[in-house]
Amino acid sequence: MTDVERVGIVGCGLMGSGIAEVCARAGRDVVVVEASRAAADAGLERISRSLARATAAGKLSAAERDAAVGRIVMTTDMDRMADRDLAVEAVAEDERAKLEVFARLDRIVGRRDAVLATNTSSIPVIRLAAATSRPEQVVGLHFFQPVPVLALVELVPSLLTSADTVRRAREFASGVLGKQVVHAEDRAGFVVNALLVPYLLAAVRMAESRTASAEDIDRAMTLGCAHPLGPLALADLIGLDTVQAIARSMYAEYREPLYAPPPLLARMVDAGRLGRKTGRGFHTYS
């Protein structure tokens, strides 16, 4: 059993809303903090739509859906994190923003042995832990989108994370949420993105050089390698700004050319063509 009953989540975008949903479905008391009321309302609507889909698919009863919604409190007040047993940072993949969140959580979360987790895709956990006075309580819990569907969580302790924090985080992810946990060293990209991002960037370079169209690149990998999504469609799903941020973090760590974001990716982010969340990336979405 885990002692984590009260969960706090900072950020309710695609990742934060998914984490909030699975925690609420697991019977936990969930508080979600967003920067504005509009963002909070949008996050709750995203969670409600996801729960409605699960109910329509027969994975959740109407009573279970309503109970899950009832366990979630949306707020703009970070002080609501004060009584949390586990606080998860799920803001944009921007190191400065994440450092600010961890500094505030350190001041606000009252339980001194509370687990402070980051959902970062690529930023070394130790850098975020250094923003707190309790680095032994900070750990990476990297979920995957869509969180209610994908079973994996990467558990990433820093050099200073205590064994007890690792144990409690693992028990929560596996025992409470039912996720499959893999352990990763605190290196930019961890396991999945260290393998995935060079592949996505190679596809962007192929499109940039006009070796093949975006449609044909994706068709080749879905039909030729049985991938459920082609690399450019997957980059659109992740968000091209997020792919660029992960690539920059990994390049800064390793200085490997294969991690460097291609110019086309940077131009698309500059143009606001971020993928599914804006309706257009390498493909167009309704």
Side-chain angles (χ1 to χ4, degrees):
M1 287 294 290
T2 178
D3 62 346
V4 175
E5 296 294 335
R6 296 181 297 275
V7 179
I9 299 161
V10 183
C12 200
L14 290 175
M15 294 302 299
S17 61
I19 297 167
E21 178 183 338
V22 296
C23 290
R25 287 173 66 169
R28 267 43 191 180
D29 174 304
V30 181
V31 170
V32 185
V33 177
E34 254 296 359
S36 68
R37 191 69 249 173
D41 291 344
L44 184 58
E45 174 61 24
R46 189 177 295 113
I47 294 168
S48 298
R49 287 198 305 268
S50 178
L51 289 169
R53 287 193 296 271
T55 304
K59 298 176 181 178
L60 205 63
S61 70
E64 289 170 329
R65 176 200 63 206
D66 294 343
V69 172
R71 295 186 188 105
I72 299 171
V73 173
M74 306 294 299
T75 181
T76 59
D77 182 6
M78 185 72 91
D79 287 341
R80 293 294 299 271
M81 296 287 108
D83 66 346
R84 301 293 96 180
D85 304 315
L86 165 67
V88 182
E89 169 275 311
V91 301
E93 194 69 1
D94 176 270
E95 185 170 340
R96 184 177 298 177
K98 290 178 183 291
L99 287 169
E100 181 180 342
V101 168
F102 273 93
R104 294 184 69 188
L105 288 174
D106 187 42
R107 293 193 300 269
I108 291 168
V109 176
R111 180 175 170 178
R112 293 309 296 175
D113 67 343
V115 176
L116 306 182
T118 175
N119 185 56
T120 181
S121 304
S122 59
I123 298 168
V125 175
I126 190 62
R127 292 187 195 165
L128 305 178
T132 77
S133 63
R134 38 178 147 175
E136 68 279 3
Q137 305 306 131
V138 179
V139 68
L141 277 178
H142 182 215
F143 294 80
F144 290 82
Q145 172 65 19
V147 179
V149 175
L150 296 187
L152 182 65
V153 170
E154 289 179 319
L155 177 60
V156 189
S158 80
L159 288 172
L160 299 179
T161 307
S162 72
D164 186 60
T165 297
V166 172
R167 176 189 61 79
R168 291 168 63 207
R170 181 180 62 246
E171 288 180 358
F172 182 75
S174 62
V176 175
L177 302 184
K179 298 295 187 182
Q180 297 292 320
V181 175
V182 297
H183 289 250
E185 290 295 313
D186 190 17
R187 305 288 186 270
F190 314 134
V191 174
V192 171
N193 282 318
L195 295 169
L196 176 64
V197 170
Y199 163 64
L200 300 183
L201 299 180
V204 175
R205 293 187 186 100
M206 184 172 283
E208 186 173 50
S209 67
R210 300 187 180 181
T211 301
S213 68
E215 291 76 13
D216 282 348
I217 291 167
D218 282 347
R219 188 178 297 116
M221 296 308 294
T222 55
L223 298 180
C225 294
H227 290 191
L229 278 179
L232 299 176
L234 179 55
D236 280 352
L237 176 63
I238 295 168
L240 301 187
D241 53 339
T242 300
V243 173
Q244 177 180 248
I246 297 169
R248 284 176 170 171
S249 181
M250 292 172 62
Y251 181 71
E253 175 111 325
Y254 301 110
R255 298 299 177 184
E256 289 280 358
L258 75 165
Y259 296 140
L264 175 60
L265 181 61
R267 296 296 85 76
M268 292 181 72
V269 172
D270 291 342
R273 291 174 54 173
L274 307 182
R276 284 184 178 268
K277 59 188 171 184
T278 59
R280 190 176 182 191
F282 285 98
H283 303 285
T284 301
Y285 306 89
S286 58

